[in-house]
Amino acid sequence: MKKEYKVEGMSCQHCVHSVVLELNKLEINSHQVDIGRVSVDFDETKVNDEQIKAAIEEAGYKVVN
């Protein structure tokens, strides 16, 4: 499943790196992290939407969709 998240509070490459580190802890197929936007390709049997949102928020940013 591919999904895109709009993220508030990201303003630099440090922010991007923080989100990437948290997403790397999950068992997802691939991700693309840009300032204010995260795209994720994941297997719903291994990880769910709430876990991805929690990882982004654990990095210190707010998911708005």
Side-chain angles (χ1 to χ4, degrees):
M1 173 179 204
K2 291 184 180 181
K3 188 157 185 178
E4 187 169 308
Y5 302 89
K6 187 174 179 181
V7 181
E8 285 184 350
M10 297 175 71
S11 61
C12 64
Q13 288 305 308
H14 175 76
C15 303
V16 170
H17 184 67
S18 296
V19 173
V20 167
L21 287 178
E22 289 300 325
L23 291 175
N24 284 343
K25 295 176 183 177
L26 300 176
E27 195 172 341
I28 57 177
N29 298 332
S30 65
H31 56 74
Q32 174 67 42
V33 180
D34 297 307
I35 296 171
R37 185 178 63 86
V38 176
S39 299
V40 180
D41 182 6
F42 62 99
D43 182 341
E44 293 175 278
T45 63
K46 296 179 180 177
V47 66
N48 63 44
D49 187 54
E50 293 304 316
Q51 289 173 301
I52 294 168
K53 288 179 180 178
I56 295 169
E57 292 180 0
E58 181 66 24
Y61 307 101
K62 182 178 180 183
V63 177
V64 292
N65 70 333

